[in-house]
Amino acid sequence: MNQLQRLYQWITSSPPLFQLLPPFATLEDLSIKPLGESEEYQGNPRLGFLYQHLCTAALANSEQYEIVAEEIQLNDSDGKTIGAIDLILKNRTLDQLEHWEVAIKFYLLHEGVWYGPNAHDQLHTKLDRMLSHQLKMSERPEFRQMLPLDQSPKERLLMQGRLYINPFSNEVPPKECLGFALNPSQISGYWCYQSQWSLINKPLYHLSKPNWAIGTDDFSQPIEKPMERFEHAQTADGEFWFIVPDNWPQNPKAHK
């Protein structure tokens, strides 16, 4: 199984970051064909773009859904960008249209806030934008002009990734974010400061960003202690770790 197939399988079988109450969605309960061995991806190499591409492929390969439109760019009357809608789908089973937004995110808990490795990114602000802006774009007149529909699409948010806690801190993970229950199974990663490096007591192996979700099977060269930057790595027994500078998150730019 190649890297593309592994990530595709992870997307179709992994739970979301939030428990399944509307508008949150999962692909776990869909009947989805495997990704072909010959499938290639020539798009933007950033993980978010690759993730959206594979989510779209998975939904297109499902028995339940049909792609109506994807990556719909919206502009206002002055030509200013409003944003882009990820997917409009036809749910064949329920005979309804659905507006899907998809995101893969990785957040570290610090003093009650889930921060991205780049601390400008935070779970509560990302979630608020997804709910209040991204998913509402299918209600805008600019969208209706581009894609006239006979019904308002149902909102669906697929948000996958992993949540990380510092095992050398006694902070208790919150159970919710903006009133939405987190999925405890996805609070499964660890992070620590560079000054806590020696406490890990296991070799760590570098993860390139396309492998942040699925991990690596290359355990030939353990990493050295990172200096002044964050590092995402994995142990041979499957633990995922972020190592961050001691001035994180106050220095949000301490990333690669």
Short mmCIF file of all heavy atoms in Angstrom, two decimals, residues 163-221:
data_model
loop_
_atom_site.label_atom_id
_atom_site.label_comp_id
_atom_site.label_asym_id
_atom_site.label_seq_id
_atom_site.Cartn_x
_atom_site.Cartn_y
_atom_site.Cartn_z
N LEU A 163 -5.40 15.32 18.62
CA LEU A 163 -5.23 16.27 19.72
C LEU A 163 -4.14 15.75 20.65
O LEU A 163 -4.08 14.55 20.94
CB LEU A 163 -6.54 16.46 20.47
CG LEU A 163 -7.71 16.98 19.61
CD1 LEU A 163 -9.00 17.00 20.43
CD2 LEU A 163 -7.42 18.36 19.04
N TYR A 164 -3.28 16.66 21.12
CA TYR A 164 -2.07 16.29 21.86
C TYR A 164 -2.09 16.91 23.25
O TYR A 164 -2.45 18.08 23.42
CB TYR A 164 -0.83 16.80 21.12
CG TYR A 164 -0.63 16.21 19.74
CD1 TYR A 164 -1.48 16.55 18.69
CD2 TYR A 164 0.42 15.34 19.47
CE1 TYR A 164 -1.30 16.02 17.42
CE2 TYR A 164 0.61 14.80 18.20
CZ TYR A 164 -0.26 15.14 17.18
OH TYR A 164 -0.08 14.62 15.93
N ILE A 165 -1.68 16.14 24.23
CA ILE A 165 -1.55 16.65 25.60
C ILE A 165 -0.10 16.49 26.05
O ILE A 165 0.65 15.66 25.52
CB ILE A 165 -2.49 15.91 26.57
CG1 ILE A 165 -2.19 14.40 26.58
CG2 ILE A 165 -3.95 16.19 26.23
CD1 ILE A 165 -2.94 13.63 27.66
N ASN A 166 0.29 17.31 27.02
CA ASN A 166 1.63 17.21 27.60
C ASN A 166 1.57 16.26 28.79
O ASN A 166 0.98 16.59 29.82
CB ASN A 166 2.12 18.59 28.04
CG ASN A 166 3.57 18.58 28.49
OD1 ASN A 166 4.08 17.57 28.97
ND2 ASN A 166 4.25 19.71 28.34
N PRO A 167 2.17 15.07 28.68
CA PRO A 167 2.07 14.09 29.77
C PRO A 167 2.87 14.49 31.00
O PRO A 167 2.72 13.87 32.06
CB PRO A 167 2.63 12.81 29.14
CG PRO A 167 3.57 13.29 28.10
CD PRO A 167 2.98 14.56 27.56
N PHE A 168 3.71 15.53 30.86
CA PHE A 168 4.51 15.99 31.99
C PHE A 168 3.84 17.18 32.69
O PHE A 168 4.45 17.84 33.53
CB PHE A 168 5.91 16.36 31.51
CG PHE A 168 6.51 15.30 30.62
CD1 PHE A 168 6.95 15.59 29.34
CD2 PHE A 168 6.60 13.98 31.05
CE1 PHE A 168 7.47 14.61 28.52
CE2 PHE A 168 7.12 12.99 30.24
CZ PHE A 168 7.57 13.30 28.96
N SER A 169 2.60 17.43 32.31
CA SER A 169 1.77 18.46 32.94
C SER A 169 0.55 17.77 33.53
O SER A 169 0.14 16.70 33.08
CB SER A 169 1.34 19.49 31.89
OG SER A 169 0.21 20.19 32.30
N ASN A 170 -0.04 18.37 34.53
CA ASN A 170 -1.23 17.76 35.15
C ASN A 170 -2.52 18.38 34.61
O ASN A 170 -3.58 18.25 35.23
CB ASN A 170 -1.18 17.88 36.67
CG ASN A 170 -1.06 19.32 37.14
OD1 ASN A 170 -1.12 20.25 36.33
ND2 ASN A 170 -0.87 19.52 38.44
N GLU A 171 -2.44 19.03 33.45
CA GLU A 171 -3.63 19.67 32.89
C GLU A 171 -4.64 18.62 32.42
O GLU A 171 -4.29 17.68 31.70
CB GLU A 171 -3.25 20.58 31.72
CG GLU A 171 -4.44 21.32 31.14
CD GLU A 171 -4.05 22.43 30.17
OE1 GLU A 171 -2.85 22.56 29.86
OE2 GLU A 171 -4.95 23.16 29.73
N VAL A 172 -5.88 18.80 32.82
CA VAL A 172 -6.95 17.88 32.44
C VAL A 172 -7.56 18.35 31.11
O VAL A 172 -7.96 19.52 30.99
CB VAL A 172 -8.05 17.83 33.52
CG1 VAL A 172 -9.19 16.92 33.08
CG2 VAL A 172 -7.45 17.36 34.84
N PRO A 173 -7.64 17.49 30.11
CA PRO A 173 -8.19 17.92 28.82
C PRO A 173 -9.66 18.31 28.94
O PRO A 173 -10.43 17.65 29.65
CB PRO A 173 -8.05 16.67 27.93
CG PRO A 173 -7.02 15.83 28.60
CD PRO A 173 -7.14 16.11 30.07
N PRO A 174 -10.06 19.39 28.29
CA PRO A 174 -11.48 19.75 28.28
C PRO A 174 -12.30 18.72 27.52
O PRO A 174 -11.77 18.01 26.66
CB PRO A 174 -11.49 21.11 27.57
CG PRO A 174 -10.24 21.13 26.76
CD PRO A 174 -9.24 20.31 27.50
N LYS A 175 -13.57 18.67 27.84
CA LYS A 175 -14.45 17.70 27.18
C LYS A 175 -15.14 18.28 25.95
O LYS A 175 -15.73 17.54 25.16
CB LYS A 175 -15.52 17.20 28.17
CG LYS A 175 -14.95 16.44 29.36
CD LYS A 175 -16.07 15.88 30.22
CE LYS A 175 -15.56 15.21 31.48
NZ LYS A 175 -14.50 14.26 31.31
N GLU A 176 -15.08 19.61 25.81
CA GLU A 176 -15.78 20.22 24.68
C GLU A 176 -15.04 21.46 24.19
O GLU A 176 -14.11 21.94 24.83
CB GLU A 176 -17.21 20.58 25.08
CG GLU A 176 -17.35 21.41 26.35
CD GLU A 176 -17.17 22.91 26.15
OE1 GLU A 176 -17.39 23.39 25.02
OE2 GLU A 176 -16.80 23.59 27.12
N CYS A 177 -15.48 21.93 23.03
CA CYS A 177 -14.97 23.18 22.46
C CYS A 177 -16.16 23.91 21.84
O CYS A 177 -16.88 23.32 21.01
CB CYS A 177 -13.90 22.90 21.42
SG CYS A 177 -13.20 24.38 20.65
N LEU A 178 -16.40 25.13 22.28
CA LEU A 178 -17.56 25.92 21.83
C LEU A 178 -18.87 25.17 22.05
O LEU A 178 -19.82 25.33 21.27
CB LEU A 178 -17.42 26.32 20.35
CG LEU A 178 -16.19 27.16 19.98
CD1 LEU A 178 -16.26 27.54 18.50
CD2 LEU A 178 -16.10 28.41 20.85
N GLY A 179 -18.91 24.33 23.08
CA GLY A 179 -20.13 23.60 23.39
C GLY A 179 -20.28 22.29 22.64
O GLY A 179 -21.26 21.55 22.88
N PHE A 180 -19.34 21.95 21.77
CA PHE A 180 -19.40 20.70 21.02
C PHE A 180 -18.45 19.69 21.67
O PHE A 180 -17.29 20.00 21.95
CB PHE A 180 -19.00 20.92 19.56
CG PHE A 180 -19.97 21.78 18.79
CD1 PHE A 180 -19.76 23.14 18.67
CD2 PHE A 180 -21.10 21.22 18.22
CE1 PHE A 180 -20.65 23.94 17.97
CE2 PHE A 180 -22.01 22.02 17.51
CZ PHE A 180 -21.78 23.38 17.39
N ALA A 181 -18.95 18.48 21.90
CA ALA A 181 -18.18 17.47 22.62
C ALA A 181 -17.03 16.95 21.77
O ALA A 181 -17.22 16.54 20.62
CB ALA A 181 -19.09 16.31 23.03
N LEU A 182 -15.84 16.97 22.35
CA LEU A 182 -14.67 16.40 21.69
C LEU A 182 -14.75 14.88 21.72
O LEU A 182 -15.37 14.29 22.61
CB LEU A 182 -13.39 16.86 22.38
CG LEU A 182 -13.05 18.35 22.25
CD1 LEU A 182 -11.96 18.73 23.24
CD2 LEU A 182 -12.62 18.69 20.83
N ASN A 183 -14.11 14.25 20.75
CA ASN A 183 -14.05 12.80 20.70
C ASN A 183 -12.83 12.35 21.52
O ASN A 183 -11.69 12.57 21.10
CB ASN A 183 -13.91 12.34 19.25
CG ASN A 183 -14.13 10.86 19.09
OD1 ASN A 183 -13.95 10.09 20.03
ND2 ASN A 183 -14.52 10.45 17.90
N PRO A 184 -13.04 11.74 22.69
CA PRO A 184 -11.90 11.40 23.56
C PRO A 184 -10.87 10.51 22.87
O PRO A 184 -9.68 10.58 23.19
CB PRO A 184 -12.55 10.67 24.74
CG PRO A 184 -13.99 11.04 24.70
CD PRO A 184 -14.33 11.32 23.27
N SER A 185 -11.30 9.69 21.92
CA SER A 185 -10.36 8.78 21.26
C SER A 185 -9.33 9.53 20.43
O SER A 185 -8.28 8.97 20.10
CB SER A 185 -11.12 7.79 20.36
OG SER A 185 -11.67 8.46 19.23
N GLN A 186 -9.63 10.79 20.09
CA GLN A 186 -8.71 11.55 19.25
C GLN A 186 -7.74 12.41 20.07
O GLN A 186 -6.89 13.08 19.51
CB GLN A 186 -9.49 12.41 18.26
CG GLN A 186 -10.38 11.59 17.32
CD GLN A 186 -9.65 10.39 16.74
OE1 GLN A 186 -9.80 9.26 17.19
NE2 GLN A 186 -8.82 10.64 15.75
N ILE A 187 -7.89 12.39 21.39
CA ILE A 187 -6.88 13.02 22.26
C ILE A 187 -5.83 11.94 22.50
O ILE A 187 -5.77 11.31 23.56
CB ILE A 187 -7.52 13.53 23.57
CG1 ILE A 187 -8.70 14.44 23.26
CG2 ILE A 187 -6.48 14.27 24.40
CD1 ILE A 187 -9.46 14.91 24.49
N SER A 188 -5.02 11.71 21.49
CA SER A 188 -4.17 10.52 21.48
C SER A 188 -2.70 10.81 21.22
O SER A 188 -1.89 9.88 21.14
CB SER A 188 -4.68 9.54 20.40
OG SER A 188 -4.69 10.16 19.13
N GLY A 189 -2.34 12.09 21.09
CA GLY A 189 -0.95 12.44 20.87
C GLY A 189 -0.35 13.10 22.10
O GLY A 189 -1.06 13.43 23.07
N TYR A 190 0.96 13.30 22.06
CA TYR A 190 1.68 13.92 23.17
C TYR A 190 2.53 15.07 22.65
O TYR A 190 2.94 15.08 21.49
CB TYR A 190 2.58 12.90 23.87
CG TYR A 190 1.83 11.71 24.41
CD1 TYR A 190 1.87 10.49 23.75
CD2 TYR A 190 1.07 11.81 25.58
CE1 TYR A 190 1.17 9.39 24.23
CE2 TYR A 190 0.37 10.71 26.07
CZ TYR A 190 0.43 9.51 25.39
OH TYR A 190 -0.27 8.43 25.87
N TRP A 191 2.79 16.03 23.53
CA TRP A 191 3.73 17.09 23.20
C TRP A 191 4.52 17.45 24.45
O TRP A 191 4.09 17.18 25.58
CB TRP A 191 3.02 18.31 22.63
CG TRP A 191 2.24 19.15 23.62
CD1 TRP A 191 0.93 19.00 23.97
CD2 TRP A 191 2.73 20.27 24.37
NE1 TRP A 191 0.57 19.95 24.90
CE2 TRP A 191 1.66 20.75 25.17
CE3 TRP A 191 3.97 20.91 24.46
CZ2 TRP A 191 1.79 21.83 26.03
CZ3 TRP A 191 4.10 22.00 25.32
CH2 TRP A 191 3.02 22.45 26.09
N CYS A 192 5.66 18.08 24.24
CA CYS A 192 6.42 18.60 25.37
C CYS A 192 7.34 19.70 24.88
O CYS A 192 7.53 19.90 23.67
CB CYS A 192 7.21 17.49 26.07
SG CYS A 192 8.62 16.86 25.14
N TYR A 193 7.90 20.42 25.83
CA TYR A 193 8.89 21.45 25.51
C TYR A 193 10.25 20.80 25.25
O TYR A 193 10.53 19.69 25.70
CB TYR A 193 9.01 22.45 26.66
CG TYR A 193 7.78 23.30 26.86
CD1 TYR A 193 6.98 23.14 27.99
CD2 TYR A 193 7.44 24.27 25.92
CE1 TYR A 193 5.85 23.93 28.17
CE2 TYR A 193 6.31 25.06 26.10
CZ TYR A 193 5.52 24.89 27.22
OH TYR A 193 4.41 25.66 27.40
N GLN A 194 11.11 21.55 24.57
CA GLN A 194 12.45 21.04 24.30
C GLN A 194 13.19 20.73 25.60
O GLN A 194 13.95 19.75 25.68
CB GLN A 194 13.23 22.07 23.47
CG GLN A 194 12.75 22.14 22.03
CD GLN A 194 13.34 23.31 21.26
OE1 GLN A 194 14.11 24.09 21.81
NE2 GLN A 194 12.96 23.44 20.00
N SER A 195 12.93 21.51 26.64
CA SER A 195 13.60 21.27 27.92
C SER A 195 13.11 19.99 28.60
O SER A 195 13.73 19.52 29.55
CB SER A 195 13.38 22.46 28.86
OG SER A 195 12.00 22.68 29.09
N GLN A 196 12.00 19.43 28.10
CA GLN A 196 11.47 18.17 28.65
C GLN A 196 11.86 16.96 27.80
O GLN A 196 11.41 15.85 28.05
CB GLN A 196 9.94 18.26 28.76
CG GLN A 196 9.45 19.34 29.71
CD GLN A 196 7.94 19.55 29.64
OE1 GLN A 196 7.37 19.61 28.56
NE2 GLN A 196 7.30 19.66 30.79
N TRP A 197 12.69 17.20 26.80
CA TRP A 197 13.07 16.17 25.83
C TRP A 197 13.54 14.88 26.50
O TRP A 197 13.14 13.78 26.12
CB TRP A 197 14.15 16.74 24.92
CG TRP A 197 14.90 15.76 24.07
CD1 TRP A 197 16.10 15.17 24.35
CD2 TRP A 197 14.52 15.27 22.78
NE1 TRP A 197 16.50 14.35 23.32
CE2 TRP A 197 15.54 14.39 22.34
CE3 TRP A 197 13.43 15.48 21.94
CZ2 TRP A 197 15.49 13.73 21.12
CZ3 TRP A 197 13.38 14.83 20.71
CH2 TRP A 197 14.40 13.96 20.32
N SER A 198 14.38 15.01 27.52
CA SER A 198 14.97 13.83 28.15
C SER A 198 13.94 12.97 28.88
O SER A 198 14.19 11.80 29.19
CB SER A 198 16.08 14.25 29.12
OG SER A 198 15.54 15.04 30.16
N LEU A 199 12.76 13.55 29.16
CA LEU A 199 11.73 12.80 29.87
C LEU A 199 11.01 11.79 28.97
O LEU A 199 10.35 10.88 29.48
CB LEU A 199 10.70 13.76 30.47
CG LEU A 199 11.23 14.79 31.49
CD1 LEU A 199 10.11 15.73 31.91
CD2 LEU A 199 11.83 14.08 32.69
N ILE A 200 11.13 11.96 27.67
CA ILE A 200 10.42 11.05 26.75
C ILE A 200 10.99 9.65 26.85
O ILE A 200 10.26 8.66 26.87
CB ILE A 200 10.51 11.57 25.30
CG1 ILE A 200 9.83 12.93 25.19
CG2 ILE A 200 9.83 10.59 24.33
CD1 ILE A 200 9.98 13.59 23.84
N ASN A 201 12.30 9.56 26.90
CA ASN A 201 12.97 8.28 27.18
C ASN A 201 12.72 7.22 26.12
O ASN A 201 12.76 6.02 26.40
CB ASN A 201 12.53 7.75 28.56
CG ASN A 201 13.60 6.90 29.21
OD1 ASN A 201 14.79 7.06 28.91
ND2 ASN A 201 13.21 5.99 30.08
N LYS A 202 12.42 7.65 24.90
CA LYS A 202 12.27 6.74 23.76
C LYS A 202 12.85 7.43 22.53
O LYS A 202 12.74 8.65 22.42
CB LYS A 202 10.79 6.43 23.47
CG LYS A 202 10.05 5.65 24.52
CD LYS A 202 8.60 5.44 24.07
CE LYS A 202 7.78 4.71 25.12
NZ LYS A 202 6.38 4.51 24.66
N PRO A 203 13.41 6.68 21.59
CA PRO A 203 13.82 7.31 20.34
C PRO A 203 12.60 7.84 19.58
O PRO A 203 11.52 7.24 19.60
CB PRO A 203 14.49 6.17 19.56
CG PRO A 203 14.78 5.12 20.58
CD PRO A 203 13.74 5.24 21.64
N LEU A 204 12.80 8.97 18.92
CA LEU A 204 11.76 9.57 18.09
C LEU A 204 12.23 9.63 16.64
O LEU A 204 13.42 9.84 16.38
CB LEU A 204 11.41 10.98 18.58
CG LEU A 204 10.69 11.10 19.92
CD1 LEU A 204 10.50 12.56 20.28
CD2 LEU A 204 9.34 10.40 19.87
N TYR A 205 11.27 9.50 15.72
CA TYR A 205 11.59 9.45 14.30
C TYR A 205 10.76 10.51 13.58
O TYR A 205 9.55 10.63 13.79
CB TYR A 205 11.31 8.05 13.75
CG TYR A 205 12.11 7.00 14.47
CD1 TYR A 205 11.60 6.39 15.63
CD2 TYR A 205 13.38 6.64 14.05
CE1 TYR A 205 12.34 5.45 16.32
CE2 TYR A 205 14.13 5.70 14.74
CZ TYR A 205 13.61 5.11 15.88
OH TYR A 205 14.35 4.18 16.58
N HIS A 206 11.44 11.27 12.73
CA HIS A 206 10.83 12.42 12.06
C HIS A 206 9.63 12.02 11.21
O HIS A 206 9.63 10.98 10.55
CB HIS A 206 11.88 13.10 11.17
CG HIS A 206 11.32 14.17 10.29
ND1 HIS A 206 10.91 15.40 10.76
CD2 HIS A 206 11.07 14.17 8.94
CE1 HIS A 206 10.45 16.12 9.75
NE2 HIS A 206 10.53 15.41 8.65
N LEU A 207 8.62 12.90 11.21
CA LEU A 207 7.46 12.73 10.34
C LEU A 207 7.40 13.90 9.36
O LEU A 207 7.30 15.05 9.77
CB LEU A 207 6.16 12.71 11.16
CG LEU A 207 5.92 11.50 12.05
CD1 LEU A 207 4.65 11.71 12.88
CD2 LEU A 207 5.81 10.22 11.23
N SER A 208 7.46 13.60 8.07
CA SER A 208 7.18 14.63 7.08
C SER A 208 5.69 14.94 7.15
O SER A 208 4.89 14.10 7.58
CB SER A 208 7.56 14.14 5.68
OG SER A 208 6.79 13.00 5.33
N LYS A 209 5.31 16.13 6.73
CA LYS A 209 3.93 16.55 6.97
C LYS A 209 2.89 15.64 6.31
O LYS A 209 1.84 15.39 6.92
CB LYS A 209 3.71 18.00 6.53
CG LYS A 209 2.43 18.57 7.13
CD LYS A 209 2.43 20.07 7.25
CE LYS A 209 1.19 20.54 8.00
NZ LYS A 209 1.10 22.00 8.11
N PRO A 210 3.11 15.09 5.12
CA PRO A 210 2.12 14.15 4.58
C PRO A 210 1.90 12.93 5.47
O PRO A 210 0.87 12.26 5.36
CB PRO A 210 2.71 13.75 3.22
CG PRO A 210 3.59 14.88 2.84
CD PRO A 210 4.17 15.39 4.12
N ASN A 211 2.86 12.66 6.37
CA ASN A 211 2.74 11.50 7.26
C ASN A 211 2.27 11.85 8.66
O ASN A 211 2.25 10.99 9.54
CB ASN A 211 4.09 10.77 7.35
CG ASN A 211 4.43 10.01 6.09
OD1 ASN A 211 3.55 9.63 5.33
ND2 ASN A 211 5.71 9.80 5.85
N TRP A 212 1.90 13.11 8.88
CA TRP A 212 1.48 13.51 10.23
C TRP A 212 0.31 12.66 10.73
O TRP A 212 0.24 12.33 11.91
CB TRP A 212 1.09 14.99 10.24
CG TRP A 212 2.26 15.91 10.37
CD1 TRP A 212 3.57 15.62 10.14
CD2 TRP A 212 2.22 17.28 10.79
NE1 TRP A 212 4.35 16.73 10.37
CE2 TRP A 212 3.55 17.76 10.76
CE3 TRP A 212 1.19 18.15 11.15
CZ2 TRP A 212 3.87 19.08 11.12
CZ3 TRP A 212 1.51 19.45 11.50
CH2 TRP A 212 2.83 19.91 11.48
N ALA A 213 -0.61 12.33 9.85
CA ALA A 213 -1.77 11.55 10.27
C ALA A 213 -1.45 10.06 10.37
O ALA A 213 -1.81 9.41 11.36
CB ALA A 213 -2.93 11.77 9.30
N ILE A 214 -0.77 9.53 9.36
CA ILE A 214 -0.63 8.08 9.25
C ILE A 214 0.63 7.52 9.90
O ILE A 214 0.72 6.32 10.15
CB ILE A 214 -0.66 7.64 7.76
CG1 ILE A 214 0.45 8.34 6.96
CG2 ILE A 214 -2.03 7.94 7.16
CD1 ILE A 214 0.52 7.93 5.50
N GLY A 215 1.60 8.39 10.18
CA GLY A 215 2.83 7.91 10.79
C GLY A 215 3.81 7.34 9.78
O GLY A 215 3.57 7.36 8.57
N THR A 216 4.91 6.82 10.29
CA THR A 216 5.98 6.31 9.44
C THR A 216 6.29 4.86 9.81
O THR A 216 5.97 4.40 10.91
CB THR A 216 7.25 7.16 9.60
OG1 THR A 216 8.26 6.69 8.71
CG2 THR A 216 7.80 7.09 11.03
N ASP A 217 6.93 4.17 8.88
CA ASP A 217 7.46 2.84 9.19
C ASP A 217 8.98 2.83 9.01
O ASP A 217 9.59 1.76 8.94
CB ASP A 217 6.79 1.77 8.34
CG ASP A 217 6.88 2.06 6.85
OD1 ASP A 217 7.58 3.03 6.47
OD2 ASP A 217 6.25 1.33 6.06
N ASP A 218 9.57 4.03 8.91
CA ASP A 218 11.02 4.15 8.76
C ASP A 218 11.62 4.52 10.12
O ASP A 218 11.58 5.67 10.55
CB ASP A 218 11.35 5.22 7.72
CG ASP A 218 12.86 5.38 7.52
OD1 ASP A 218 13.63 4.63 8.15
OD2 ASP A 218 13.26 6.28 6.75
N PHE A 219 12.16 3.52 10.78
CA PHE A 219 12.74 3.74 12.10
C PHE A 219 14.26 3.55 12.07
O PHE A 219 14.87 3.08 13.02
CB PHE A 219 12.10 2.78 13.11
CG PHE A 219 10.60 2.90 13.16
CD1 PHE A 219 9.79 1.82 12.81
CD2 PHE A 219 9.99 4.08 13.54
CE1 PHE A 219 8.41 1.93 12.86
CE2 PHE A 219 8.61 4.20 13.59
CZ PHE A 219 7.82 3.12 13.24
N SER A 220 14.85 3.95 10.95
CA SER A 220 16.29 3.72 10.77
C SER A 220 17.14 4.81 11.40
O SER A 220 18.29 4.57 11.75
CB SER A 220 16.61 3.62 9.27
OG SER A 220 16.22 4.81 8.59
N GLN A 221 16.58 6.02 11.55
CA GLN A 221 17.41 7.14 12.01
C GLN A 221 16.65 8.00 13.02
O GLN A 221 15.86 8.86 12.64
CB GLN A 221 17.86 7.99 10.82
CG GLN A 221 18.88 9.04 11.21
CD GLN A 221 19.46 9.74 9.99
OE1 GLN A 221 19.22 9.34 8.85
NE2 GLN A 221 20.23 10.78 10.22
#
